[in-house]
């Protein structure tokens, strides 16, 4: 095969791959921009603001991100993760003793049964049991709302991470496309500088024996 032909084939193939990588990079960039914009708009619409630095409790001050975002409006996935885990999670744990909404259902159900039995017998501690049930129900309802908000914020964070990964993938595609483009250009230059008669890996001609 002619060396020039081989160079042209590799160069054209490289240009095709460069274009393909460029298209993939553009698609990933579009997805990343959509994810970032969507997360920003959804979080901004909630009008959630971090507590100012001078209002943070001693426990809250232990969180690096709560100190970093103090007083700022929540608009990014990383901020949503911080608020969900370091702020809401902290207060939910303090309120419920670390128990989840599902785990709080057992004590609430037990109190309901006790109240029902006390109402049948008109027990002296009925009012106290009703008060305990009201407090348990209110706590469980608060935990449910907190866990729901926390889950939505973490979902926004996860969506933003897809956007970040897409940005990284797009960068890799652009770098790959640029490298292939440079190599293809170098191949084309080499092809046109190579004599048309030059062959690639041509077998050596057998030497004729020399008669003495």
């Amino acid at each position: 095969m002619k060396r020039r032909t081989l160079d042209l084939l590799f160069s054209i193939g490289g240009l095709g791959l460069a274009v393909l990588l460029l298209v993939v990079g553009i698609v990933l960039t579009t997805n990343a921009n959509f994810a970032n914009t969507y997360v920003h708009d959804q979080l901004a619409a909630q009008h959630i603001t971090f507590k100012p630095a001078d209002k943070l409790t001693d426990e809250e001050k232990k969180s690096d991100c709560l100190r970093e975002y103090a007083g700022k409006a929540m608009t990014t996935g990383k901020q949503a993760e911080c608020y969900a885990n370091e702020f809401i999670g902290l207060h939910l744990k303090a309120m419920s003793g670390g128990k989840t909404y599902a785990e709080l259902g057992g004590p609430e159900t037990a109190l309901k049964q006790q109240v029902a039995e006390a109402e049948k017998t008109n027990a002296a501690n009925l009012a106290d049991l009703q008060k305990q049930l009201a407090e348990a129900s209110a706590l469980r309802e608060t935990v449910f709302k907190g866990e729901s908000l926390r889950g939505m914020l973490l979902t926004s964070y996860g969506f933003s991470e897809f956007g970040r990964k897409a940005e990284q993938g797009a960068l890799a595609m652009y770098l790959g496309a640029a490298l292939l483009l440079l190599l293809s250009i170098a191949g084309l230059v080499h092809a046109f500088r190579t004599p048309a008669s030059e062959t690639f890996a041509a077998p050596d001609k057998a030497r004729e024996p020399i008669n003495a």
Side-chain angles (χ1 to χ4, degrees), residues 28-212:
L28 290 175
T29 298
T30 302
N31 290 337
N33 291 337
F34 170 77
N36 293 332
T37 301
Y38 183 81
V39 169
H40 175 276
D41 293 346
Q42 292 299 314
L43 291 177
Q46 301 304 315
H47 301 290
I48 298 175
T49 303
F50 286 85
K51 288 176 64 175
D54 59 344
K55 300 294 184 181
L56 293 175
T57 65
D58 291 337
E59 284 297 317
E60 292 168 349
K61 288 179 180 178
K62 295 178 181 179
S63 170
D64 293 335
C65 66
L66 287 181
R67 295 196 309 271
E68 177 184 354
Y69 300 133
K72 296 181 180 179
M74 184 195 305
T75 56
T76 68
K78 292 298 293 184
Q79 289 177 325
E81 180 195 29
C82 173
Y83 197 88
N85 290 335
E86 304 298 328
F87 187 78
I88 296 178
L90 173 66
H91 290 285
L92 286 178
K93 183 177 181 180
M95 290 173 55
S96 65
K99 293 183 178 180
T100 64
Y101 170 79
E103 292 172 331
L104 291 172
E108 183 186 25
T109 300
L111 283 170
K112 287 181 179 179
Q113 294 175 349
Q114 293 178 34
V115 168
E117 293 174 359
E119 288 176 340
K120 292 178 181 179
T121 60
N122 196 22
N125 65 338
L126 175 59
D128 183 55
L129 289 174
Q130 289 175 331
K131 181 181 179 182
Q132 292 181 38
L133 176 59
E135 292 175 349
S137 298
L139 173 61
R140 192 172 185 228
E141 180 68 17
T142 300
V143 170
F144 173 75
K145 292 178 179 178
E147 289 182 349
S148 298
L149 177 57
R150 182 170 177 267
M152 288 186 288
L153 291 176
L154 289 176
T155 298
S156 295
Y157 163 68
F159 200 70
S160 71
E161 283 297 291
F162 281 116
R164 188 175 67 85
K165 296 296 183 182
E167 287 179 344
Q168 294 175 346
L171 178 60
M173 295 299 104
Y174 292 142
L175 292 176
L179 178 60
L180 284 173
L181 178 61
L182 292 176
L183 291 176
S184 298
I185 292 174
L188 290 173
V189 171
H190 185 270
F192 288 108
R193 287 184 176 180
T194 301
S197 60
E198 183 175 336
T199 59
F200 177 75
D204 294 333
K205 294 182 179 180
R207 295 183 178 180
E208 296 181 358
I210 300 175
N211 297 323

